[in-house]
Amino acid sequence: MSTLTFGFIGLGLIGGSIARAIRQNLPQSQIIAYDINADTLREASQCGVANTVTTKIDASFSTCDYLFLCAPVQKNDENLSAVKEILSPKTLLTDVGSVKSEIHKEIKKAGLEGQFIGGHPMAGSDRVGFINSKAVLLENAYYIITPTKKSTPEQIDRIRQVALGIGALPIVLDYHEHDFS
């Protein structure tokens, strides 16, 4: 897994912490990052977390093995439209939102059920933003994985391996069950 490319749409507390954990635990990985905050992108580049930063969702993400939607949940629809235009068939798309029903509905409308597996890392802090992200934030935290009806066992295992690789504890749940809990 060490030579994979990971993309991040949003580098706040959770996205930044996942990116930092990948950098720490899979140091040969390539990380491509987009955020609306130029200071966040500058910091991610300067501290060595991101290999490539971009101010827009563009074709640079088409090389990703994994693409994380880490912006606030209400921004995912807009970002999903941009991602759909550049998504490679080999890319496994995931998110980190705390509510799964809406993103699963949007994924189905976009025709991306075969490339998406939802994720919800059960970690956080009273602080926000990339500046407060930590590689250890997700260590020993539950990482809920919510596949679609079209997700394959291999895809589910790929996300499980990423969660394990950053020190999290993956649990697979139906997204309806996740939102009901």
Side-chain angles (χ1 to χ4, degrees), residues 126-174:
D126 59 341
R127 297 179 181 241
V128 297
F130 182 77
I131 195 75
N132 294 300
S133 62
K134 296 175 176 62
V136 297
L137 186 68
L138 292 133
E139 282 185 7
N140 298 314
Y142 291 114
Y143 196 113
I144 310 301
I145 297 168
T146 61
T148 70
K149 290 180 180 177
K150 293 186 177 182
S151 299
T152 67
E154 184 267 336
Q155 289 171 319
I156 296 167
D157 190 56
R158 284 176 59 194
I159 293 293
R160 281 186 73 258
Q161 292 305 315
V162 170
L164 289 167
I166 61 174
L169 307 169
I171 297 174
V172 178
L173 285 178
D174 176 86

Coordinates of all heavy atoms in Angstrom, one line a residue, residues 126-174:
D126 N -12.1 19.5 20.2 CA -12.8 20.8 20.4 C -12.2 21.9 19.5 O -12.7 23.0 19.4 CB -12.9 21.2 21.8 CG -11.5 21.4 22.4 OD1 -10.5 20.9 21.8 OD2 -11.3 22.1 23.5
R127 N -11.2 21.5 18.8 CA -10.5 22.5 17.9 C -10.8 22.1 16.5 O -11.1 20.9 16.2 CB -9.0 22.5 18.2 CG -8.7 23.0 19.6 CD -7.2 23.0 19.9 NE -7.0 23.4 21.2 CZ -6.3 24.5 21.6 NH1 -5.8 25.2 20.6 NH2 -6.2 24.8 22.8
V128 N -10.6 23.0 15.6 CA -10.9 22.7 14.2 C -9.7 23.1 13.3 O -8.8 23.8 13.7 CB -12.2 23.4 13.7 CG1 -13.4 23.0 14.5 CG2 -12.0 25.0 13.8
G129 N -9.8 22.7 12.0 CA -8.8 23.1 11.0 C -7.6 22.2 10.9 O -7.3 21.5 11.9
F130 N -6.9 22.3 9.8 CA -5.7 21.6 9.6 C -4.6 21.8 10.6 O -3.9 20.9 11.0 CB -5.1 21.9 8.2 CG -3.9 21.2 7.8 CD1 -4.0 19.8 7.4 CD2 -2.6 21.7 7.9 CE1 -2.9 19.1 7.1 CE2 -1.5 21.0 7.6 CZ -1.6 19.7 7.2
I131 N -4.5 23.0 11.1 CA -3.5 23.4 12.1 C -3.6 22.6 13.3 O -2.7 22.3 14.0 CB -3.6 24.9 12.4 CG1 -2.3 25.4 13.1 CG2 -4.8 25.3 13.1 CD1 -1.1 25.5 12.2
N132 N -4.8 22.1 13.6 CA -5.1 21.3 14.8 C -5.1 19.8 14.5 O -5.4 19.0 15.4 CB -6.4 21.7 15.5 CG -6.2 23.1 16.1 OD1 -5.4 23.4 16.9 ND2 -7.1 24.0 15.6
S133 N -5.0 19.4 13.3 CA -5.0 18.0 12.9 C -3.8 17.3 13.5 O -2.7 17.9 13.6 CB -5.1 17.8 11.4 OG -4.0 18.3 10.7
K134 N -3.9 16.0 13.7 CA -2.8 15.2 14.3 C -2.9 13.8 13.7 O -3.9 13.2 13.5 CB -3.0 15.0 15.8 CG -2.9 16.3 16.6 CD -3.2 16.0 18.1 CE -3.1 17.3 18.9 NZ -3.9 18.4 18.6
A135 N -1.7 13.2 13.4 CA -1.6 11.9 12.9 C -2.2 10.8 13.8 O -2.7 9.8 13.4 CB -0.2 11.6 12.5
V136 N -2.2 11.1 15.1 CA -2.7 10.1 16.1 C -4.2 10.3 16.4 O -4.7 9.5 17.2 CB -1.9 10.2 17.4 CG1 -0.4 9.8 17.1 CG2 -2.0 11.5 18.0
L137 N -4.9 11.3 15.8 CA -6.3 11.5 16.2 C -7.2 10.3 16.0 O -8.1 10.1 16.8 CB -6.8 12.7 15.4 CG -8.2 13.2 15.8 CD1 -8.2 13.8 17.1 CD2 -8.8 14.1 14.7
L138 N -6.9 9.5 15.0 CA -7.7 8.4 14.7 C -7.2 7.1 15.3 O -7.9 6.0 15.1 CB -7.9 8.2 13.2 CG -8.7 9.4 12.6 CD1 -8.0 10.0 11.4 CD2 -10.1 9.0 12.3
E139 N -6.1 7.1 15.9 CA -5.6 5.9 16.5 C -6.6 5.3 17.5 O -7.0 6.0 18.4 CB -4.2 6.1 17.2 CG -3.1 6.2 16.2 CD -1.7 6.3 16.9 OE1 -1.6 6.1 18.1 OE2 -0.8 6.5 16.1
N140 N -6.9 4.0 17.4 CA -7.9 3.3 18.3 C -9.3 3.9 18.2 O -10.1 3.6 19.1 CB -7.3 3.2 19.7 CG -6.0 2.4 19.7 OD1 -5.9 1.4 19.1 ND2 -5.0 3.0 20.4
A141 N -9.6 4.7 17.3 CA -10.9 5.2 17.1 C -11.7 4.3 16.1 O -11.1 3.8 15.2 CB -10.9 6.7 16.6
Y142 N -13.0 4.2 16.4 CA -13.8 3.4 15.4 C -13.9 4.2 14.1 O -14.0 5.4 14.1 CB -15.2 3.1 16.0 CG -15.2 2.1 17.1 CD1 -15.5 2.5 18.4 CD2 -14.8 0.8 16.9 CE1 -15.5 1.6 19.4 CE2 -14.7 -0.1 18.0 CZ -15.1 0.3 19.2 OH -15.1 -0.5 20.3
Y143 N -13.8 3.4 13.0 CA -13.9 4.0 11.7 C -15.0 3.2 11.0 O -14.9 2.1 10.5 CB -12.6 3.8 10.9 CG -12.5 4.7 9.7 CD1 -11.5 5.7 9.7 CD2 -13.2 4.5 8.6 CE1 -11.4 6.5 8.5 CE2 -13.1 5.3 7.4 CZ -12.2 6.3 7.4 OH -12.0 7.1 6.3
I144 N -16.2 3.9 10.9 CA -17.4 3.2 10.4 C -17.3 3.2 8.9 O -17.1 4.3 8.3 CB -18.7 3.9 10.8 CG1 -18.7 4.0 12.4 CG2 -19.9 3.1 10.3 CD1 -18.6 2.8 13.2
I145 N -17.5 2.1 8.2 CA -17.4 1.9 6.8 C -18.9 1.6 6.3 O -19.4 0.6 6.8 CB -16.4 0.9 6.4 CG1 -15.0 1.3 6.8 CG2 -16.5 0.5 4.9 CD1 -14.0 0.1 6.7
T146 N -19.4 2.4 5.4 CA -20.8 2.1 4.9 C -20.8 1.9 3.4 O -20.8 2.8 2.6 CB -21.7 3.3 5.3 OG1 -21.2 4.5 4.6 CG2 -21.7 3.5 6.8
P147 N -20.7 0.6 3.0 CA -20.7 0.3 1.6 C -22.0 0.6 0.9 O -23.0 0.7 1.6 CB -20.3 -1.2 1.5 CG -20.4 -1.7 2.9 CD -20.6 -0.5 3.8
T148 N -22.0 0.6 -0.4 CA -23.2 0.7 -1.2 C -23.6 -0.7 -1.6 O -22.9 -1.7 -1.4 CB -23.1 1.5 -2.5 OG1 -22.2 0.8 -3.4 CG2 -22.5 2.9 -2.2
K149 N -24.8 -0.9 -2.3 CA -25.2 -2.2 -2.7 C -24.2 -2.7 -3.8 O -24.1 -3.9 -4.1 CB -26.6 -2.1 -3.3 CG -27.6 -2.0 -2.2 CD -29.0 -1.9 -2.7 CE -30.0 -1.7 -1.5 NZ -31.3 -1.6 -1.9
K150 N -23.5 -1.8 -4.5 CA -22.6 -2.2 -5.6 C -21.2 -2.3 -5.1 O -20.3 -2.6 -5.9 CB -22.7 -1.2 -6.7 CG -24.1 -1.3 -7.4 CD -24.1 -0.4 -8.6 CE -25.4 -0.5 -9.3 NZ -25.5 0.3 -10.6
S151 N -20.9 -2.1 -3.8 CA -19.5 -2.2 -3.3 C -19.1 -3.7 -3.3 O -19.9 -4.6 -3.0 CB -19.4 -1.7 -1.9 OG -19.7 -0.4 -1.8
T152 N -17.9 -4.0 -3.8 CA -17.4 -5.3 -3.8 C -16.6 -5.6 -2.5 O -16.2 -4.7 -1.8 CB -16.4 -5.5 -5.0 OG1 -15.2 -4.7 -4.7 CG2 -17.0 -5.2 -6.3
P153 N -16.5 -6.9 -2.2 CA -15.7 -7.3 -1.0 C -14.3 -6.7 -1.1 O -13.7 -6.3 -0.1 CB -15.7 -8.8 -1.0 CG -17.0 -9.2 -1.7 CD -17.2 -8.1 -2.7
E154 N -13.7 -6.7 -2.3 CA -12.4 -6.2 -2.4 C -12.3 -4.7 -2.1 O -11.4 -4.2 -1.5 CB -11.9 -6.4 -3.9 CG -10.4 -6.0 -4.2 CD -10.3 -4.6 -4.7 OE1 -11.3 -4.1 -5.3 OE2 -9.2 -4.0 -4.5
Q155 N -13.3 -3.9 -2.6 CA -13.3 -2.5 -2.3 C -13.5 -2.2 -0.7 O -12.8 -1.4 -0.2 CB -14.5 -1.8 -3.0 CG -14.3 -1.7 -4.5 CD -15.5 -1.2 -5.2 OE1 -16.7 -1.6 -4.9 NE2 -15.4 -0.4 -6.2
I156 N -14.4 -3.0 -0.1 CA -14.5 -2.9 1.3 C -13.2 -3.2 2.0 O -12.8 -2.4 3.0 CB -15.7 -3.8 1.8 CG1 -17.0 -3.3 1.2 CG2 -15.8 -3.8 3.3 CD1 -18.2 -4.3 1.4
D157 N -12.6 -4.2 1.6 CA -11.3 -4.5 2.2 C -10.2 -3.4 2.0 O -9.4 -3.2 2.9 CB -10.8 -5.9 1.7 CG -9.6 -6.4 2.5 OD1 -9.7 -6.5 3.8 OD2 -8.5 -6.6 1.9
R158 N -10.3 -2.8 0.8 CA -9.3 -1.7 0.6 C -9.5 -0.6 1.6 O -8.5 -0.1 2.1 CB -9.5 -1.2 -0.8 CG -8.9 -2.0 -1.9 CD -9.2 -1.5 -3.3 NE -8.6 -0.2 -3.5 CZ -9.0 0.6 -4.5 NH1 -9.9 0.2 -5.4 NH2 -8.4 1.8 -4.7
I159 N -10.7 -0.2 1.9 CA -11.0 0.9 2.8 C -10.6 0.4 4.2 O -10.1 1.1 5.0 CB -12.5 1.3 2.8 CG1 -12.7 2.0 1.4 CG2 -12.8 2.2 3.9 CD1 -12.0 3.4 1.2
R160 N -11.0 -0.9 4.5 CA -10.6 -1.4 5.8 C -9.1 -1.4 6.0 O -8.6 -1.0 7.1 CB -11.0 -2.9 6.0 CG -12.5 -3.1 6.3 CD -12.8 -4.6 6.5 NE -12.3 -5.1 7.8 CZ -11.1 -5.8 8.0 NH1 -10.4 -6.1 7.0 NH2 -10.7 -6.1 9.2
Q161 N -8.3 -1.7 5.0 CA -6.9 -1.7 5.1 C -6.3 -0.2 5.3 O -5.4 -0.1 6.1 CB -6.2 -2.3 3.9 CG -6.4 -3.8 3.8 CD -6.0 -4.6 5.0 OE1 -4.9 -4.3 5.6 NE2 -6.9 -5.5 5.5
V162 N -6.9 0.7 4.7 CA -6.5 2.1 4.9 C -6.8 2.5 6.4 O -6.0 3.1 7.1 CB -7.2 3.1 4.0 CG1 -7.0 4.5 4.4 CG2 -6.8 2.9 2.6
A163 N -8.0 2.2 6.9 CA -8.4 2.5 8.3 C -7.4 1.8 9.2 O -6.9 2.4 10.2 CB -9.8 2.0 8.6
L164 N -7.1 0.5 9.0 CA -6.1 -0.2 9.9 C -4.7 0.5 9.7 O -4.0 0.6 10.7 CB -6.1 -1.7 9.5 CG -7.3 -2.5 9.9 CD1 -7.2 -3.9 9.2 CD2 -7.4 -2.7 11.4
G165 N -4.4 0.9 8.5 CA -3.1 1.5 8.3 C -2.8 2.8 9.0 O -1.7 3.1 9.3
I166 N -3.9 3.5 9.3 CA -3.8 4.7 10.1 C -4.1 4.5 11.6 O -4.2 5.5 12.3 CB -4.6 5.9 9.5 CG1 -6.1 5.5 9.5 CG2 -4.2 6.2 8.1 CD1 -7.0 6.7 9.1
G167 N -4.2 3.3 12.0 CA -4.4 3.0 13.4 C -5.8 3.0 13.9 O -6.1 2.8 15.1
A168 N -6.8 3.1 13.0 CA -8.2 3.1 13.4 C -8.8 1.7 13.4 O -8.1 0.7 13.0 CB -9.0 3.9 12.4
L169 N -10.0 1.5 14.0 CA -10.6 0.3 14.1 C -11.9 0.2 13.2 O -12.9 0.8 13.6 CB -11.1 0.1 15.6 CG -9.9 0.2 16.7 CD1 -10.5 0.3 18.0 CD2 -8.9 -0.9 16.5
P170 N -11.8 -0.4 12.1 CA -12.9 -0.4 11.1 C -14.0 -1.3 11.5 O -13.8 -2.4 12.0 CB -12.2 -0.9 9.8 CG -11.0 -1.7 10.2 CD -10.6 -1.1 11.5
I171 N -15.2 -0.8 11.3 CA -16.5 -1.5 11.5 C -17.3 -1.3 10.2 O -17.5 -0.1 9.9 CB -17.2 -1.0 12.7 CG1 -16.4 -1.3 14.0 CG2 -18.6 -1.7 12.8 CD1 -17.0 -0.7 15.2
V172 N -17.8 -2.3 9.6 CA -18.7 -2.2 8.4 C -20.2 -2.2 8.9 O -20.6 -3.1 9.6 CB -18.4 -3.3 7.4 CG1 -19.3 -3.2 6.2 CG2 -16.9 -3.3 7.0
L173 N -20.9 -1.2 8.5 CA -22.3 -1.1 8.8 C -23.1 -0.6 7.5 O -22.6 0.1 6.7 CB -22.6 0.0 9.8 CG -22.2 -0.2 11.3 CD1 -22.5 1.0 12.1 CD2 -23.0 -1.4 11.8
D174 N -24.3 -1.0 7.4 CA -25.2 -0.5 6.4 C -25.4 1.0 6.8 O -25.5 1.3 8.0 CB -26.6 -1.2 6.5 CG -27.6 -0.7 5.5 OD1 -27.6 -1.1 4.4 OD2 -28.4 0.2 6.0

